[in-house]
Every structure is written in C-alpha cells, then in structure tokens.
Amino acid sequence: MSHAVEKARRGFGRMKQPLRSGVACAAALTFVALAPPAAASMPTADSGPSASSALHGISWSTLSVAPGVQVRTGALRDSAAAPVWSVTVQAPAVNRLTGAATWAPLGDRAWADATAARLRGAGFEPRLEQVTWDDYSDTPRGTMGWQVRVGRYATQAEAGTTNTAVVAAGFRTAVDWTGYDGRPRPDGENIHVAVVDPTRFAGTIGASDGGNVADRENTSTVATRLGSLIGVNGGFFITSDADGVQGTLAGLSARHGRLESMAAGSRAALILGDGGRRPRIADLSTTVTVRDGSAEYGVQGINRVPGKVRNCGRPGAVPTAEPRHDTTCTIADDLVEFTPEFRASLPAGAGVQVVLDERGVVASVGDRGGAVPDHGAVLQGIGGAAGWLTGHARVGKRLSLREVIRDSSDREIRLGPDDSIVSAAPTLVEDGRVHIDAATEGTLDPRDLSFGFAWSNVRQPRTLAGIDRRGRLLLVTVDGRQPGVSEGFTLAEGARFMRSLGAVRALNLDGGGSTAMAVNGKLVNVTSDATGERAVGDTIQVLPRRRSS
C-alpha cells in the first residue's frame, strides 16, 4: 500500500476474552481478584441510528450534522457500581532505563504481604487487590501485581485524613478514586461518537495544526475558524519548554502530502487519504536522508530541537531508541530539518545551520538561529551531523532531501497533496479484533511497573479513531477524571468499545486533558483540565464542501 516519497519541498529536491471476577477473604486482609469487565456497548456503526436507545445502561441520542456525518452522544449511569475513595500504598521501584529509584502503584505479592503486615502493625486495616494484565497483544498474561489499599470513603477529604496518618507512619501513598481502576464497573461515562461516511459526505477530512507547527490552539478554536462540522484533538505534542518547542508534534505528522514531523519508531497513525475520502490506519515509520551527490546523512527529526526527541524512538537516542511515551531522549549526533510551517524562532546553540532556497540550493551556512524562509528549508546539525554539514554544504551547491514512509509490512506510502497524517499510540483494533500493542509502541513496560500503568491501565479521558468495514471514519471521545460523572476508558476498554462500534482498525489518539470534540465549532464534551479546554498541537477537522464563488 505504500511507496517512497522523494520530496522536492517547494521545488527542491485478538478476540474479546471471557471476563472473571472473584473475592476471597482472610481474617485480617481482604483479597480481591478482579479482571476488567467488557466495555458497555452501543448500536454498532453498521446499525441504523435511532433517536434514542438504551443498551447495557447507556442511553444514546443521534444528531445528523450533515449528509454522511452523525454525532451520537451516550451517557452511562450505573447505580449498582459503587466506587469509593481509598488510600493506595506505593511500591518502591527502579526505572528500567535510567536505574533511578522511583515508585509504582503496585508490586509483587511478597512486597504486598510485607506492606500489609507493616500497616497492620501501625494500626491500619489493609486490603490487597490483585491486578491482572489486560487485553494487550504483547505483554504477559495473568497477574500483573498487587495493590495495597486502606479504607473506603465517600469523599476525597475523608480519604485524605487517613492518607495523612498513613504517610506519617512512613508509607508512600496516593489517594485514588477506585472508579478509575478499570476493574470494577464505572458508575458514569459520557461518550461522543462521530461517524463520517466518505461515500455520502461531500466535504473533506484533514489534519490541521493551525498553519504553525510551533504553536498550540484549542480544538474548538481551530474548528470555529475553519467552519468545521466536527473537530477532535489529534496526536501527541510538546507541552513543556524543557522538552522542546511547545506545540510541535511528538510523532509522525503530515500536511498536504508533506512530512512536518517524524515517527517515534513504528507507531499507529491515521492516514486521511484524498481529503479523507480514503481513511486508513497503519503502524508507520519514517526515514529521511539528505544527500550531496553520493554522500548522505540521516535526518532524525523535522521541526524539533536538535538533540531532544520526545517519545524517543529514533536511532541513536539515549536512553532508548525504542518508542517510550512521555519520555524525552537525547541524541548527540542529530540532524533536524525545519519547514516553512515552523513559524517560530529557530533553536539557537552549538552546531551548524544550513539555509536552503526553494530549489534546495544552499543559501547560507552559519550559526543556528533566525527563521525558516517562506520558500525553502533549514537544516540544523549538532555533533557528527554538524561535521557532515560543514564538509558538504557550500553556498550555491544543491542538497536533496528524500523522505520514506513505511508501514509495518515494509511497504512504502506515497502521499498526495490532499493527504494528511495524524499519529499517536497504540493500535487498539486490527483486522476486526482487539489488538493492543502497548509495549511495542511504548506506552507500557512489562519489565517496569513504574512506567505507563496509569496511562494504559487506569481509566482516563480518551480520544479514539477507527474505521469500520464500510470505510466510515469513527472519531470518539470519552470524558474522564470526573468521579461519579465520567471516568473514562482504559486502553483495553477503549479497544473493546471501538470494536463494538464495528471498527476493523482503531488507534488511540492523545487523551487526558487534550481530549476534546467540537461540533459546528462548539465544544460538546467536558474537558478534564481545571483551566478548561487545553490548547493542542494538531487536530482532525471534518470540513463542509466549499461553494465556489
């Protein structure tokens, strides 16, 4: 399905498994073995929409936004579910990559038994809860670990009082809402599902970064400005100056058929081909090279700070060249390209900068800094890459850039001018079956329970994208971090939910405080940040057909 893209930038050259739960009690401890329940389902995308329906506790309503575009809003309220506030004792751990001491929300049985004994000696009544591995395709089965908890409280404040006492007794703790666990049933979920049928919809679907890859905007702001019918947040992006330039993407992105950032290893991506009329999902990787005749050097980044690579996943990255979510790796010998869509001051510092004109001809060689020309590009190199540029870039000489995008079958993808890509992680559904490659895509580490547990195994706000057998695009948001109102999905719940919609392929997009859906420019979900809707790096926008004047 894919082939190489040789760029002249502006002219230069698994099935759902049975679920179990059980409770075993001992004199001083309560042992709870809970496996994840099946996600509540709704009418599949292949079933006809109804004005209102209720299945498995979810009430649904449907809004027709335009021919071929619907939004289905669901609300789950389960009075039988009874989550509580509780104190969770943290287990000492070691970061597998750095060797640094850290903490994990669960540990092995020996640690759990010893910790429970210490708690009883301090006058507390602990309980042990067994956590099993979820429906991941690339992790162990059975027991992941054990959580040690104290108390069941109706309010966070009550749990906080006990937490203070547990901390004073010498334990590291966290106050948790058990509705986020992903093991008991949630008592509330607010879900929005947008269904876009490319065979009936006359408009376009594409990725938008607001015209500046080095900027952040609210999803609803972009939607309003573009006159969008549906808008959702997109991929992972930089949120801190310590990790790079805020707003730049931490993974593969493309606009108008051109790469604007490179992949973090091989990760899930939504390809919006032909203006969204041919959407598809695949795990994609990228290779970019700059050539001076027969000499070439690997470009490891586009539109990011040289030496810093968020989410890792690049050759030479330290401490890992594998994808590692929310981790900033370093690269000593780093060559980065900047495109005209990087509308911010270029990073300054040690190294060499080469400015290319629209034909790829070297216009200048010098110190790093300044701005990208409107018709051209900039190369910045540090370490060995700086040496290569010094030896090969001469004013008046032409350098060529070549981009290759490949899927997991090593097939190459060619992007046309109406194609765009949004990427995140991990894959959720493949060939109509739940297939979550969380370890491979770096959102969970089976050998390090201090990494990724809350991100992957705990209910969170999520934004999901999928494609059903009829080729329809499914864009889904679930609110979260709202105790008793909407708790969100674990990755596995998200995967099962997408499969229940009829998705044959699905991926997880950015979530948490970034999760947002706008309908006709208006935010329709409740975002989780206390400050309101979060400004993000890129979005997916469903745009109506423009009338010709």
Side-chain angles (χ1 to χ4, degrees):
M1 121 178 132
S2 44
H3 49 280
V5 177
E6 177 144 22
K7 177 177 75 169
R9 188 181 294 279
R10 298 188 182 273
F12 72 88
R14 188 171 330 170
M15 294 290 288
K16 191 184 300 182
Q17 297 186 358
L19 303 167
R20 306 168 305 279
S21 65
V23 178
C25 299
L29 297 172
T30 302
F31 298 93
V32 184
L34 297 166
S41 61
M42 65 169 283
T44 67
D46 288 330
S47 65
S50 58
S52 180
S53 61
L55 291 177
H56 301 284
I58 302 185
S59 299
W60 292 98
S61 61
T62 300
L63 171 68
S64 293
V65 180
V69 181
Q70 292 182 341
V71 176
R72 303 171 183 177
T73 301
L76 166 69
R77 298 294 177 262
D78 187 350
S79 60
V84 295
W85 290 97
S86 189
V87 177
T88 305
V89 180
Q90 306 295 289
V94 175
N95 185 296
R96 183 176 66 84
L97 296 183
T98 67
T102 186
W103 299 89
L106 70 170
D108 62 21
R109 183 59 186 271
W111 166 81
D113 287 341
T115 301
R118 287 178 56 209
L119 284 164
R120 286 197 304 273
F124 300 102
E125 190 69 23
R127 67 184 185 276
L128 271 60
E129 297 183 0
Q130 183 183 18
V131 181
T132 59
W133 287 100
D134 222 325
D135 291 339
Y136 304 118
S137 64
D138 53 3
T139 64
R141 296 299 179 192
T143 301
M144 175 188 283
W146 295 80
Q147 289 189 317
V148 179
R149 284 177 162 162
V150 177
R152 293 180 173 89
Y153 304 98
T155 69
Q156 188 174 11
E158 290 176 290
T161 299
T162 296
N163 183 63
T164 300
V166 177
V167 170
F171 297 89
R172 174 88 172 208
T173 64
V175 175
D176 291 331
W177 174 250
T178 62
Y180 296 156
D181 287 349
R183 302 190 294 274
R185 298 196 308 267
D187 61 345
E189 301 286 18
N190 294 331
I191 306 167
H192 290 86
V193 179
V195 182
V196 186
D197 186 349
T199 65
R200 298 180 56 224
F201 176 52
T204 61
I205 313 167
S208 174
D209 51 28
N212 181 4
V213 300
D215 193 17
R216 297 172 59 179
E217 278 193 286
N218 292 351
T219 298
S220 63
T221 300
V222 178
T224 298
R225 185 174 66 250
L226 297 179
S228 171
L229 300 173
I230 307 290
V232 298
N233 64 290
F236 306 130
F237 61 97
I238 305 299
T239 61
S240 168
D241 294 340
D243 301 315
V245 178
Q246 290 198 36
T248 54
L249 278 298
L252 171 61
S253 67
R255 307 287 179 272
H256 307 297
R258 298 183 302 202
L259 282 181
E260 297 298 345
S261 58
M262 293 181 69
S266 179
R267 275 183 151 189
L270 171 64
I271 308 161
L272 296 167
D274 192 20
R277 283 174 279 274
R278 294 186 296 108
R280 60 196 190 277
I281 292 171
D283 288 353
L284 300 181
S285 61
T286 52
T287 303
V288 180
T289 54
V290 58
R291 300 180 66 91
D292 169 26
S294 61
E296 68 177 30
Y297 201 94
V299 176
Q300 296 302 339
I302 299 178
N303 295 326
R304 65 162 173 79
V305 175
K308 292 184 178 182
V309 53
R310 187 67 168 168
N311 290 341
C312 307
R314 299 305 311 170
V318 177
T320 180
E322 300 301 317
R324 187 81 167 184
H325 192 60
D326 283 351
T327 301
T328 298
C329 285
T330 60
I331 301 180
D333 303 314
D334 198 16
L335 184 59
V336 175
E337 175 194 359
F338 292 87
T339 74
E341 285 69 27
F342 187 90
R343 304 183 189 279
S345 297
L346 286 164
V352 173
Q353 175 170 296
V354 174
V355 179
L356 304 174
D357 70 12
E358 61 184 1
R359 296 174 298 128
V361 175
V362 177
S364 66
V365 181
D367 296 334
R368 293 167 55 202
V372 184
D374 288 340
H375 303 285
V378 169
L379 298 174
Q380 289 192 349
I382 62 172
W388 192 92
L389 288 176
T390 299
H392 292 272
R394 297 284 188 273
V395 174
K397 176 184 285 190
R398 185 178 183 274
L399 301 179
S400 62
L401 285 164
R402 184 172 185 266
E403 299 177 349
V404 178
I405 306 173
R406 297 184 185 274
D407 66 14
S408 57
S409 298
D410 203 35
R411 292 173 296 188
E412 301 172 358
I413 291 178
R414 173 175 294 170
L415 297 180
D418 295 325
D419 299 344
S420 57
I421 299 177
V422 175
S423 72
T427 299
L428 300 177
V429 178
E430 190 172 88
D431 298 327
R433 299 185 177 190
V434 170
H435 182 90
I436 311 167
D437 55 352
T440 302
E441 296 198 41
T443 69
L444 188 67
D445 188 342
R447 294 176 289 172
D448 183 357
L449 296 182
S450 71
F451 173 78
F453 177 82
W455 201 94
S456 301
N457 276 66
V458 173
R459 291 186 177 121
Q460 303 282 1
R462 307 276 181 186
T463 303
L464 317 169
I467 300 167
D468 71 9
R469 294 190 184 279
R470 293 168 55 182
R472 293 183 293 187
L473 177 65
L474 312 172
L475 299 173
V476 176
T477 63
V478 58
D479 294 343
R481 300 177 185 168
Q482 301 168 39
V485 178
S486 189
E487 290 156 338
F489 287 158
T490 66
L491 285 180
E493 287 175 330
R496 291 191 290 266
F497 183 77
M498 295 303 289
R499 184 171 177 267
S500 78
L501 297 183
V504 294
R505 294 296 302 262
L507 79 155
N508 182 74
L509 295 173
D510 194 12
S514 297
T515 287
M517 179 182 286
V519 178
N520 291 322
K522 181 181 178 181
L523 186 70
V524 296
N525 71 305
V526 179
T527 57
S528 66
D529 284 357
T531 53
E533 186 180 357
R534 178 185 294 178
V536 299
D538 69 345
T539 65
I540 300 168
Q541 301 290 343
V542 179
L543 305 173
R545 180 174 59 184
R546 303 302 182 191
R547 292 189 177 92
S548 57
S549 56

